[in-house]
Amino acid sequence: MGSSRVTVSTLAALKAGGGKAVFVTAYDYATAAFADRAGVDMILVGDSAAMTMMGMPNTLAIGMTEMLVFVRAVTRAVQRAFVIGDLPFLSYQPSDESAVRNAGAFVQAGCDAVKCEGGRAVVARVRAMTDAGIAVMGHIGLTPQSLAQLGGYRVQGKSLDAARRLADDARALEDAGVFAILIEAVPAETAALVHDRVRVPLYGIGAGPHVDGQLVISHDLLGSFVGEISPRFVKRYAAVGQTVERAFRDYADDVRTGRFPSPEHCYPIDPVCESEIRHARLNGALT
Ligand code: KIV
């Protein structure tokens, strides 16, 4: 892991050398700074912010206005990692122009690249963005913005036909100029088949080991997601939610019982001034 900024060339070289890219989501300044200092290679400012940061039931109602707040916080924090802004629902589907304008807004806010969901159906949008000089990551498999069409958060690519369709989608995206593709929620063997059919890096989330890097949503990894969703593929590395809740309980307890603040949490002053103030207070003197 070098200290210089990660670029599309760094990522291509990592793949060529057989290395695995480390990829997480982040939506705020502190998490992005910690992830960057820890040496992750890529940070996705995902539209999963709708659920992780805003408590929404899915990703469909978050828009560019909210995403740009999260994107700016992350890009201000990051010094090394490659930052990808996730184009939210209806920011690129309506037209090539909407795709270029909104992707451009992410780039102006400091993103290195953008991500959009879909395979062959979105190649025109991808081409419009790559023609505008914007680095684009594709996203196939389980695409949460098509939740209703997919019939829920379901594993994709479970048959040979479905795996071949995913490989065709991946190749179409590659032809449209993506620098990488993310594949979500597919069996490991399906991801391996797609991996073998494209030259660009293929990253996985819930797609097994035969890919060029792993993405995990930071709230899942850190144990700070508020809600019931607990995907099978997640490995938890901390219990941040429990730690935070315990800290708030201990604080509340200390405030209510008078244990906080104690003398070490108070600003000291010259003892003579302190006794003059106390004397004035106890004698009711106002001047
Ligand atoms: O928004 C996000 O975090 C994503 C991942 C679930 C792939 O798109």
Side-chain angles (χ1 to χ4, degrees), residues 77-98:
V78 169
Q79 298 188 359
R80 175 184 171 274
F82 190 84
V83 179
I84 300 152
D86 201 10
L87 288 166
F89 184 51
L90 295 188
S91 68
Y92 59 97
Q93 289 92 343
S95 64
D96 290 356
E97 182 178 338
S98 67

Side-chain angles (χ1 to χ4, degrees), residues 18-61:
K20 300 282 186 186
V22 181
F23 194 5
V24 297
T25 65
Y27 321 92
D28 65 279
Y29 183 85
T31 309
F34 292 136
D36 193 51
R37 283 189 217 162
V40 308
D41 301 302
M42 284 187 284
I43 293 180
L44 173 69
V45 188
D47 63 354
S48 50
M51 297 155 88
T52 56
M53 303 297 284
M54 300 176 75
M56 294 173 170
N58 54 50
T59 59
L60 297 176

